[in-house]
Amino acid sequence: MRVGYNPHKDQPQNKSKYLHQVIVPVYIPNQEGYFKDSFKIFQFCLESLFLTVHNKTFITIVNNGSCSLVIEYLDELFNSNKIHELIHTENIGKLNAILKGLAGNNIELVTISDADVLFLSGWQSETMHIFSKLPKVGVVGLVPQFTLYKSNSCNAIMSNLFNNKLKFYPLKNKSALVRFYDSIGWKRDYNENYLEYTLGFEMTTNSRVYIGSGHFVATYKKDIFDDIVSYIGYKLGGYSEGYLDSMPLNKDYWRVTTEDNFAYHMGNTIEDWMELEVSKQIKNDSEYVEYNFHKQKTISKMNYFIKNKLFNKLLFNKVIHKLFLKWKKLPEEMINNF
């Protein structure tokens, strides 16, 4: 029987002391074949993360059905307070694992990362800078990629269509872009023009962002996930990967990427540069005050349709798109092959 009164009943939650959550789902079922190097790569990922985040960062790892070696490693990290939340589950799929990590807290920003990302010093401060300078941004990616503006970014383009700060800029870090496509197994037979220019937006005289974002590592305003589903019926792929990409559009948030490269994708095979790159990262000892970034409300279905469906169809009409490329200062010789 129950005796007495639970002292915690009806007590409101204290506000979290953390400002930024990082969620890393991991699935390493064995150390064979495709997964032969995955455990060591995962260790590189977390070592680089520990070095590059400030002291108000809440780290959540979701073990999505990994082998005993990974479980023991994660339990040790949790018991030594290197990670703040550890969720063990069977293999429920990547996005379902992410959804588990999103639930149960109210931290203003959340970075969602694959388990093969190597974080570089400065990524967190640059992300904060972008959110503070551009209130309508809801997602900040860390790795520039080809033609990101063509995916889930028409709302940002439409909002800035007549702004001369929106135009094609030279790529700042071409070598990092080449390394990214090498890491995902692409041959170097892609359009070389994509290594030269991309659509961006100038924030200040000396800084800009690129329009659009990938999803293997990106930071989101947490209010994007006020209304989320509880289950996705795919372990990987299907519509699961597009789910996180489209969620910000419901609140008319822009998706952008840092101008410089602030992370590397390692893949599933160890290379000599990886350990060296981890060792080069500088410990982040920064102290941060509360962010209180701008939050937006859900837009109407009509507004959503105009910005993300109708305008998308118009912009990427073959003729109109070429006119857009010319208007936004893509070099003339690239327009027919971009």
Side-chain angles (χ1 to χ4, degrees):
M1 66 179 178
R2 179 185 300 139
V3 178
Y5 186 84
N6 189 323
H8 295 288
K9 186 175 181 181
D10 299 326
Q11 293 295 312
Q13 289 274 18
N14 293 326
K15 187 173 182 179
S16 175
K17 66 179 180 180
Y18 297 100
L19 304 176
H20 195 150
Q21 181 187 20
V22 180
I23 301 173
V24 184
V26 57
Y27 173 63
I28 305 174
N30 52 58
Q31 289 188 284
E32 303 169 2
Y34 181 88
F35 299 99
K36 178 175 64 72
D37 293 340
S38 293
F39 178 58
K40 186 61 181 176
I41 285 173
F42 179 48
Q43 289 179 302
F44 287 153
C45 171
L46 293 189
E47 288 167 16
S48 70
L49 179 63
F50 298 152
L51 285 169
T52 57
V53 294
H54 60 60
N55 61 4
K56 290 189 177 181
T57 306
F58 185 91
I59 299 175
T60 298
I61 309 298
V62 186
N63 166 35
N64 184 29
S66 298
C67 63
S68 58
L69 180 66
V70 177
I71 293 172
E72 291 169 7
Y73 169 66
L74 291 175
D75 284 342
E76 182 179 340
L77 291 179
F78 181 74
N79 291 330
S80 61
N81 298 316
K82 289 192 172 182
I83 59 178
H84 304 85
E85 182 178 41
L86 174 58
I87 302 168
H88 289 300
T89 180
E90 63 180 16
N91 183 11
I92 57 173
K94 179 181 174 182
L95 187 53
N96 289 320
I98 291 170
L99 294 175
K100 280 186 174 290
L102 285 169
N105 64 64
N106 192 30
I107 300 170
E108 187 172 6
L109 296 179
V110 55
T111 296
I112 300 172
S113 171
D114 285 0
D116 58 356
V117 170
L118 196 160
F119 291 87
L120 302 180
S121 297
W123 74 268
Q124 202 172 31
S125 59
E126 181 63 16
T127 299
M128 303 310 105
H129 175 68
I130 293 169
F131 280 123
S132 65
K133 288 292 183 183
L134 298 175
K136 291 204 69 174
V137 166
V139 184
V140 178
L142 301 180
V143 179
Q145 296 163 50
F146 294 160
T147 59
L148 285 173
Y149 75 95
K150 292 184 177 181
S151 177
N152 294 297
S153 294
C154 277
N155 64 329
I157 297 171
M158 185 174 177
S159 296
N160 294 284
L161 194 59
F162 299 100
N163 190 332
N164 60 13
K165 293 181 179 180
L166 177 74
K167 63 182 180 180
F168 285 87
Y169 292 93
L171 262 296
K172 182 171 184 176
N173 194 333
K174 187 189 302 187
S175 62
L177 193 59
V178 171
R179 177 181 283 189
F180 171 73
Y181 285 101
D182 286 349
S183 77
I184 60 174
W186 282 29
K187 296 179 180 179
R188 294 189 182 182
D189 56 359
Y190 40 71
N191 188 340
E192 292 288 330
N193 292 336
Y194 295 157
L195 294 173
E196 302 297 333
Y197 282 83
T198 195
L199 187 67
F201 185 86
E202 190 173 70
M203 295 187 295
T204 66
T205 304
N206 297 314
S207 65
R208 58 184 63 94
V209 293
Y210 298 140
I211 300 297
S213 172
H215 51 239
F216 80 95
V217 58
T219 300
Y220 302 75
K221 287 180 177 174
K222 185 64 178 289
D223 67 293
I224 287 170
F225 305 108
D226 285 345
D227 300 304
I228 57 175
V229 299
S230 60
Y231 175 76
I232 295 289
Y234 289 90
K235 288 192 174 181
L236 194 66
Y239 66 88
S240 66
E241 293 184 352
Y243 182 75
L244 292 180
D245 292 341
S246 60
M247 283 289 290
L249 306 182
N250 295 325
K251 292 193 172 186
D252 200 23
Y253 278 128
W254 303 346
R255 302 168 70 250
V256 302
T257 295
T258 55
E259 181 183 24
D260 206 349
N261 183 78
F262 281 97
Y264 290 125
H265 176 260
M266 292 182 282
N268 67 331
T269 304
I270 292 175
E271 298 175 57
D272 293 339
W273 63 268
M274 295 174 181
E275 187 169 11
L276 176 62
E277 198 65 51
V278 172
S279 70
K280 288 163 55 179
Q281 304 316 307
I282 301 170
K283 176 63 178 171
N284 186 348
D285 293 319
S286 303
E287 293 276 353
Y288 282 85
V289 297
E290 292 186 27
Y291 301 145
N292 293 319
F293 293 126
H294 170 77
K295 296 177 177 61
Q296 298 191 170
K297 296 180 180 179
T298 301
I299 60 174
S300 69
K301 291 182 179 179
M302 178 62 73
N303 198 357
Y304 182 97
F305 173 78
I306 291 171
K307 289 189 174 184
N308 301 296
K309 301 295 183 181
L310 180 60
F311 183 70
N312 180 82
K313 189 171 183 179
L314 290 171
L315 180 63
F316 295 111
N317 169 277
K318 189 173 182 180
V319 174
I320 293 175
H321 187 238
K322 284 186 177 182
L323 292 173
F324 174 77
L325 298 179
K326 183 176 182 179
W327 182 25
K328 292 302 176 180
K329 309 300 183 184
L330 186 71
E332 190 79 30
E333 65 273 15
M334 296 183 182
I335 288 176
N336 288 325
N337 188 29
F338 200 87

